[in-house]
Amino acid sequence: MAVTACQGLGFVVSLIGFAGIIAATCMDQWSTQDLYNNPVTAVYNYQGLWRSCVRESSGFTECRGYFTLLGLPAMLQAVRALMVVGIVLGAFGILVSIFALKCIRIGSMEDSAKANMTLTSGVIFIISGLCAIVGVSVFANMLVTNFWMSTANMYSGMGGMVQTVQTRYTFGAALFVGWVAGGLTLIGGVMMCIACRGLAPNETNYKAVSYHASGHNVAYKPGGFKASTAFGSNTRNKKIYDGGAHGEDEVQSHPSKYDYV
């Protein structure tokens, strides 16, 4: 019961994180305009991975997509690739984990197969969450670098007494959504990996036949066969075989299954 609960909870948490990764990738507020010490407040700019938007004080918003690929910064393209890879891996992990759920029985699938599928989906969720976290962190680092460079360029001339108007960007809501979503996907993958240990069989029993070497004291007699070993009493360890109509040579050359103890 605990294994099923852990597996189901891991699946739900991973599903929520996967939905969050998709939402963060599609959001436009990855970077928002910093309004601190900004005299121009009639226009508000914010940017995403796929387009940039401008919102006026009247409420009108205009967005323009990035219609170029080679003209974009390399870091932005890397963040795009990481988020897309995270989404693809998350979708594949959801598909595998659905068939791996213990509460769903498909044909004659054994518990060992479900355990392997659960482990696979858990590893996929972990990689998907890491891709999202790394992508958001790379974009945040790029924002921090550009912010301080813009701050340094705002004050120039006359000993830093003249302030130039320059747009600075800070963290947007999509970054926090991406961090939380990536963390949830990572946690869900770890829970799926933990549930895999409970689904796997504890031990595998192999049927085997043990063979014992013959004793040192073996005596052959006409009309029968007697074998004794040095262990235990003679009455318990002796096996006498009555040859019946068989001759002495035939009995000695073709021992039966009772010849050795």
Side-chain angles (χ1 to χ4, degrees):
M1 186 66 181
V3 176
T4 306
C6 182
Q7 186 187 36
L9 184 60
F11 173 75
V12 173
V13 172
S14 301
L15 185 62
I16 296 175
F18 172 69
I21 293 175
I22 297 178
T25 306
C26 299
M27 289 178 66
D28 294 327
Q29 295 184 351
W30 278 69
S31 59
T32 58
Q33 183 179 357
D34 184 25
L35 300 179
Y36 181 74
N37 290 335
N38 188 4
V40 181
T41 58
V43 179
Y44 178 69
N45 299 321
Y46 54 93
Q47 299 176 351
L49 296 180
W50 313 101
R51 60 181 183 176
S52 60
C53 300
V54 177
R55 186 177 63 191
E56 298 179 356
S57 58
S58 60
F60 177 76
T61 303
E62 181 181 0
C63 296
R64 183 176 183 275
Y66 302 139
F67 299 107
T68 179
L69 182 62
L70 299 178
L72 295 176
M75 299 299 291
L76 180 60
Q77 297 182 14
V79 173
R80 277 182 172 184
L82 287 172
M83 299 303 293
V84 171
V85 169
I87 293 175
V88 173
L89 289 177
F92 186 69
I94 291 292
L95 182 62
V96 174
S97 60
I98 289 176
F99 294 99
L101 291 176
K102 193 175 181 180
C103 57
I104 299 178
R105 178 65 62 180
I106 301 176
S108 59
M109 184 179 295
E110 299 180 355
D111 292 338
S112 59
K114 283 186 173 291
N116 294 332
M117 295 178 66
T118 303
L119 179 61
T120 302
S121 61
V123 173
I124 292 175
F125 283 138
I126 291 175
I127 298 176
S128 175
L130 289 177
C131 288
I133 293 175
V134 171
V136 174
S137 300
V138 169
F139 193 91
N141 180 70
M142 183 173 60
L143 278 181
V144 171
T145 303
N146 294 335
F147 181 86
W148 292 114
M149 291 180 62
S150 301
T151 303
N153 295 330
M154 285 180 63
Y155 300 93
S156 62
M158 298 180 62
M161 298 301 296
V162 178
Q163 180 178 356
T164 60
V165 178
Q166 188 173 357
T167 304
R168 297 183 304 180
Y169 291 92
T170 183
F171 292 173
L175 296 182
F176 302 100
V177 174
W179 273 319
V180 174
L184 290 176
T185 308
L186 182 63
I187 294 174
V190 173
M191 295 181 67
M192 296 288 284
C193 293
I194 294 175
C196 167
R197 300 187 59 183
L199 293 174
N202 295 329
E203 60 181 3
T204 304
N205 298 324
Y206 297 94
K207 295 183 179 180
V209 179
S210 59
Y211 296 91
H212 301 278
S214 60
H216 298 286
N217 301 325
V218 179
Y220 296 94
K221 294 182 180 180
F225 175 77
K226 182 185 297 184
S228 63
T229 59
F231 301 98
S233 62
N234 296 332
T235 58
R236 296 181 59 184
N237 296 328
K238 290 183 179 180
K239 299 294 182 178
I240 301 176
Y241 172 78
D242 188 5
H246 299 283
E248 179 180 356
D249 297 337
E250 186 177 357
V251 173
Q252 294 179 1
S253 60
H254 300 284
S256 67
K257 61 180 181 180
Y258 302 101
D259 292 346
Y260 300 97
V261 178

